[in-house]
């Protein structure tokens, strides 16, 4: 019984904290189509600059990590890829996981940037879906049919940030949720082991 | 259900996947990389264009079966233009003027007609599929009008070009597949997830929006009550 009430207390306290943390920015920020598009415009401009810079792969990867940190809600992406297992992670594990995840994503996707060299990304349009905005962009690579890349943008973190990138229907967040789940299975559910593996992957 | 995919034959599929991976490692990846190294890039590109062009009449049949008249017109115009101006489809002048293929197949036609997706299947050599997509593949094999219109030796050029085109893709765009096959913690689950997301996008079934990770910061959209019960962080603390 005492265990139960302690749990209740902790949950209620956390919920109350969460309320203020989430409710305050929501009232002040009402994301609209133009703001969502502006965020993706900035992100795309930076990505286009990296693609056309002709710099080394290592530089591209660190540039991509910088762009990802600045324009994406890495916290919520990391938490979402960990899924229900994030419930049992401690605060310090979540911090370590989020940092390791950020580097992993930058390496894994950053090293593919050379496939985009000579390509151009243009923002096509934006629409509101549920509580977030979907910004549609078109990627045109040399000698290829253009393809569709969507950015999902939300202001629920208190800032306008994207929380998913979807290439021809393939969501980075959902794909990494599968991968992180498999990595965690391989470690038999050990989150610290997962963090160590993540630092070496990508 | 894992990742929203119905995969009742997972054990059998995993065996096929292991075979496909071995085949890729031993044959397809080296052959693809060798092909694009030895054969000059313009030739590889030309063979790929030629193969794509030959598949267009079959695509037009499916556009029509789906009552997608715009797609049928675009693909017909593309086929005519590339066949005549692009020297039998070896070059792609249609692409230069923005006339790109509106790709589809009979699996998608079945989807438009309301056939259910069926379960997930990994096919030998061909890779990830679903029951509906695999059925469509069989039908597409026999409904390409060119296989009836062309005389005997010529109609096999298309098959040869198509195989070479696949090899070229493996050689030129293989980084993504390498990553998926050889750098994933579980390449079967990774391939299934990526294939199903892309397939549903192409079929047009993925337009209902994505789950909202902010709705519950703890990700209860994929809440598993058993996990939640067993692994309560507060429970663990009070037991210490």
């Amino acid at each position: 019984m005492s265990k139960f009430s302690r749990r209740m207390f902790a949950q209620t306290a956390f919920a109350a904290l969460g309320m203020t943390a989430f409710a305050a920015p929501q009232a002040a920020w009402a994301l609209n189509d133009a703001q969502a598009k502006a965020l993706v415009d900035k992100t795309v401009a930076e990505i286009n600059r990296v693609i056309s810079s002709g710099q080394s792969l290592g530089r591209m990867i660190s540039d991509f990590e910088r762009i990802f940190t600045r324009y994406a809600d890495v916290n919520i992406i990391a938490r979402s890829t960990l899924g229900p297992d994030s419930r049992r992670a401690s605060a310090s594990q979540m911090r370590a996981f989020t940092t390791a995840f950020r580097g992993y994503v930058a390496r894994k996707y950053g090293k593919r940037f050379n496939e985009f060299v000579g390509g151009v990304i243009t923002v096509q349009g934006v629409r509101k879906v549920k509580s977030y905005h979907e910004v549609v962009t078109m990627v045109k690579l040399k000698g290829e049919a253009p393809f569709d890349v969507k950015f999902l943008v939300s202001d629920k973190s208190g800032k306008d940030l994207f929380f998913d990138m979807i290439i021809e229907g393939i969501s980075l967040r959902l794909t990494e949720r599968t991968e992180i789940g498999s990595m965690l299975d391989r470690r038999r559910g050990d989150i610290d082991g997962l963090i160590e593996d993540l630092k070496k992957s990508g | 259900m894992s990742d929203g995919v119905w995969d009742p034959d997972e054990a059998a599929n995993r065996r096929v996947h292991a075979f496909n991976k071995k085949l890729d490692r031993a044959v397809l990846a080296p052959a693809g990389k060798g092909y694009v190294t030895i054969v000059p890039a313009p030739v590889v590109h030309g063979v790929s264009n030629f193969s794509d062009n030959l598949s267009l009449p079959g695509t037009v049949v499916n556009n029509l079966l789906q009552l997608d008249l715009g797609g049928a017109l675009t693909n017909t115009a593309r086929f005519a233009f590339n066949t005549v101006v692009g020297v039998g489809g070896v070059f792609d002048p249609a692409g230069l003027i923005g006339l790109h293929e509106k790709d589809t197949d009979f699996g998608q036609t079945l989807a438009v007609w309301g056939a259910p997706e069926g379960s997930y299947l990994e096919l030998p050599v061909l890779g990830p599929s679903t029951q509906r997509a695999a059925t469509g593949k069989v039908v597409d094999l026999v409904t390409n009008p060119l296989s009836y219109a062309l005389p005997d030796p010529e109609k096999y050029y298309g098959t040869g070009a198509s195989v070479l085109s696949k090899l070229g893709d493996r050689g030129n765009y293989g980084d993504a597949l390498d990553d998926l096959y050889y750098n994933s913690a579980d390449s079967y689950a990774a391939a299934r997830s990526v294939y199903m997301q892309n397939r549903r996008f192409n079929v047009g079934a993925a337009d209902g929006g994505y789950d909202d990770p902010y709705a519950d910061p703890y990700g209860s959209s994929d809440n598993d009550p058993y996990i939640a019960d067993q692994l309560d962080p507060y429970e663990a603390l009070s037991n210490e």
Side-chain angles (χ1 to χ4, degrees), chain A residues 76-141:
Chain A
I76 203 82
I77 298 172
R79 188 176 280 286
S80 166
T81 58
L82 197 51
D85 289 292
S86 61
R87 287 165 182 267
R88 65 184 169 94
S90 68
S92 69
Q93 276 179 322
M94 272 320 289
R95 270 196 305 276
F97 172 74
T98 305
T99 308
F101 178 79
R102 193 175 63 207
Y104 158 78
V105 167
R107 288 189 297 279
K108 182 169 176 178
Y109 295 90
K111 75 180 181 213
R112 303 271 301 280
F113 259 42
N114 53 0
E115 292 167 33
F116 288 80
V117 171
V120 178
I121 310 172
T122 47
V123 175
Q124 304 284 303
V126 56
R127 66 176 182 138
K128 195 171 185 318
V129 185
K130 295 183 198 165
S131 65
Y132 58 85
H133 291 253
E134 181 187 86
V135 182
V136 181
T137 70
M138 202 59 113
V139 179
K140 181 77 189 82
L141 302 182

Side-chain angles (χ1 to χ4, degrees), chain B residues 3 11 25 36 42 78 90 189 201 214 218:
Chain B
D3 301 342
R25 195 191 289 272
V36 298
R78 180 177 162 80
V90 172
F201 168 79
Y214 297 94
Y218 290 94

Side-chain angles (χ1 to χ4, degrees), chain B residues 6 95 135 162:
Chain B
W6 184 41
T135 309
S162 158

Side-chain angles (χ1 to χ4, degrees), chain B residues 28-230:
Chain B
L28 301 180
K33 280 162 195 168
Y35 172 63
V36 298
T37 313
I38 297 163
V39 178
V43 178
V44 172
H45 213 73
V47 169
S48 163
N49 286 340
F50 179 71
S51 161
D52 286 350
N53 195 51
L54 286 185
S55 71
L56 276 171
T59 311
V60 171
V61 170
N62 282 304
N63 291 140
L64 291 173
L65 290 174
Q66 294 166 28
L67 302 179
D68 174 14
L69 297 182
L73 270 172
T74 303
N75 287 336
T76 305
R78 180 177 162 80
F79 179 70
F81 196 54
N82 277 352
T83 303
V84 177
V85 183
V87 201
V90 172
F91 299 97
D92 179 18
L96 292 179
I97 58 166
L99 209 53
H100 296 290
E101 180 178 2
K102 296 264 285 252
D103 197 16
T104 191
D105 54 52
F106 195 70
Q108 292 184 37
T109 300
L110 288 174
V112 170
W113 290 354
E117 184 177 66
S119 62
Y120 179 74
L121 270 182
E122 180 147 346
L123 301 172
V125 188
L126 300 174
S129 192
T130 62
Q131 285 179 326
R132 185 175 63 199
T135 309
K137 265 197 165 112
V138 176
V139 175
D140 280 326
L141 271 182
V142 295
T143 50
N144 187 341
L146 279 189
S147 56
Y148 300 99
L150 288 176
D152 214 22
E154 281 85 351
K155 72 182 179 197
Y156 299 111
Y157 295 170
T159 316
S162 158
V163 170
L164 283 179
S165 163
K166 296 251 153 54
L167 273 187
D169 287 349
R170 181 67 185 93
N172 280 329
Y173 313 109
D175 287 355
L177 199 65
D178 278 341
D179 233 22
L180 197 72
Y181 263 6
Y182 306 113
N183 296 332
S184 295
D186 178 354
S187 61
Y188 174 77
R192 180 178 61 191
S193 164
V194 167
Y195 169 79
M196 289 306 297
Q197 290 184 58
N198 179 249
R199 184 69 191 170
R200 285 174 179 168
F201 168 79
N202 285 329
V203 168
D207 234 18
Y210 289 80
D211 69 315
D212 183 349
Y214 297 94
D216 174 356
Y218 290 94
S220 73
S221 59
D222 44 13
N223 194 350
D224 182 341
Y226 297 101
I227 292 177
D229 260 7
Q230 285 163 6

Side-chain angles (χ1 to χ4, degrees), chain A residues 139-195:
Chain A
V139 179
K140 181 77 189 82
L141 302 182
K142 238 180 91 193
E144 313 260 344
F147 59 90
D148 174 295
V149 176
K150 294 189 178 83
F151 290 84
L152 306 187
V153 180
S154 173
D155 64 354
K156 288 214 180 152
S157 63
K159 277 168 95 185
D160 300 351
L161 296 171
F162 71 84
F163 65 92
D164 206 348
M165 188 173 101
I166 299 152
I167 303 174
E168 290 276 281
I170 302 167
S171 145
L172 182 146
R173 191 169 53 86
L174 299 185
T175 303
E176 288 310 325
R177 179 184 290 179
T178 301
E179 181 63 14
I180 299 294
S182 300
M183 289 174 86
L184 192 59
D185 284 349
R186 198 169 59 182
R187 282 287 196 163
R188 297 170 191 273
D190 172 15
I191 292 178
D192 291 326
L194 166 73
I195 294 167

Side-chain angles (χ1 to χ4, degrees), chain B residues 17-32:
Chain B
H17 182 75
F19 166 79
N20 283 344
K21 225 169 131 173
K22 268 189 207 149
L23 182 75
D24 182 74
R25 195 191 289 272
V27 183
L28 301 180

